[in-house]
Amino acid sequence: KALHHHTYRANKDAVALSCCGAGPHTPILKEQVEVMALEAARVCHRYNIPVDSDHVQTHAESAKLLGYWPERIDFDNRGDELRAKIRYYLGKIKSGEPKP
């Protein structure tokens, strides 16, 4: 089974969403995470992408699978938390809420 991750030279057949920030002087804000999770839920709904660790990964998770570890790691060990947020918004989208 081929895996395509949002990392260097491995983006074929993938969708990538990101937040600007994560440095020591420019942290990612909670609001950014919520909006990114909502957008990910919309993409997953539109393209019928399962929200699980095989299909929705953080940059750090995919980097680890590819055998390298970037110096800056976003959402380190927080993939499950992010996927839970995406599932929350996906549920709202599926229930027909106009603007979750």
Side-chain angles (χ1 to χ4, degrees), residues 1 44 49-57 61 83 87:
K1 171 181 161 183
C44 289
I49 299 170
V51 182
D52 59 31
S53 60
D54 288 333
H55 296 89
V56 176
Q57 299 174 347
E61 289 172 324
R83 284 182 287 275
R87 282 191 286 276

Side-chain angles (χ1 to χ4, degrees), residues 24-86:
H25 304 292
T26 56
I28 293 175
L29 304 175
K30 289 179 184 180
E31 295 84 1
Q32 287 175 281
V33 174
E34 294 301 321
V35 171
M36 184 176 65
L38 173 57
E39 289 305 312
R42 289 178 176 152
V43 169
C44 289
H45 182 258
R46 170 72 175 89
Y47 295 103
N48 199 29
I49 299 170
V51 182
D52 59 31
S53 60
D54 288 333
H55 296 89
V56 176
Q57 299 174 347
T58 67
H59 180 79
E61 289 172 324
S62 61
K64 191 172 184 180
L65 286 171
L66 289 171
Y68 81 91
W69 204 247
E71 289 181 23
R72 192 187 92 219
I73 301 167
D74 302 336
F75 295 109
D76 185 23
N77 297 318
R78 296 181 68 191
D80 291 336
E81 179 184 341
L82 184 61
R83 284 182 287 275
K85 287 180 182 293
I86 294 167

